[in-house]
Amino acid sequence: MIQVIQLKGKDKHLYRLLAPMVMDPEVIRANNNYPFKTGEEYVWFIAIEDKEVVGFVPVEQKSGKKAVINNYYVAAVDEKRKEILSLLLSSVVTAFIPAGWTLNSVT
């Protein structure tokens, strides 16, 4: 079963969970060779299956209640990839829309 958790951009648990993945050259290549970034203004949605991170979506919170998805990563293919990405995006929408945020994506 896949669980989606939400962590603040500077949460120490975020670093422990994601460091091995976001420092992997293959994952960086999937992000157009651009490193992943975070800060106080970010909220990360992380998909975990069997105690392993299988995907994530960082969301940057900007002024005027604008939330921006700059990138994402899912460590799966085909139907499993669709399932994980759908769960992540549903979690983002559930967290931001009821609170009056506007969601945008640059990817």
Side-chain angles (χ1 to χ4, degrees):
M1 181 173 156
I2 299 169
Q3 175 189 11
V4 177
I5 64 170
Q6 180 180 331
L7 295 173
K8 299 280 187 188
K10 290 291 191 172
D11 189 310
K12 290 181 191 226
H13 189 54
L14 172 74
Y15 290 91
R16 285 191 292 274
L17 280 174
L18 292 184
M21 184 175 273
V22 299
M23 295 169 73
D24 183 320
E26 183 178 316
V27 175
I28 294 170
R29 267 192 300 282
N31 197 39
N32 295 316
N33 291 319
Y34 190 77
F36 294 93
K37 61 183 177 180
T38 193
E40 294 290 336
E41 67 279 9
Y42 284 83
V43 177
W44 288 70
F45 295 81
I46 303 163
I48 300 172
E49 183 174 40
D50 299 325
K51 298 182 182 179
E52 184 178 326
V53 174
V54 293
F56 57 83
V57 175
V59 179
E60 184 179 7
Q61 297 172 298
K62 296 193 170 206
S63 63
K65 288 206 145 194
K66 294 178 186 170
V68 179
I69 298 171
N70 287 312
N71 51 48
Y72 69 91
Y73 181 77
V74 176
V77 295
D78 300 328
E79 291 304 312
K80 189 68 169 182
R81 178 181 178 81
K82 290 176 187 175
E83 176 190 2
I84 294 167
L85 185 56
S86 293
L87 286 169
L88 286 165
L89 292 175
S90 293
S91 296
V92 170
V93 168
T94 299
F96 283 94
I97 297 300
W101 289 79
T102 300
L103 286 171
N104 293 297
S105 175
V106 295
T107 56

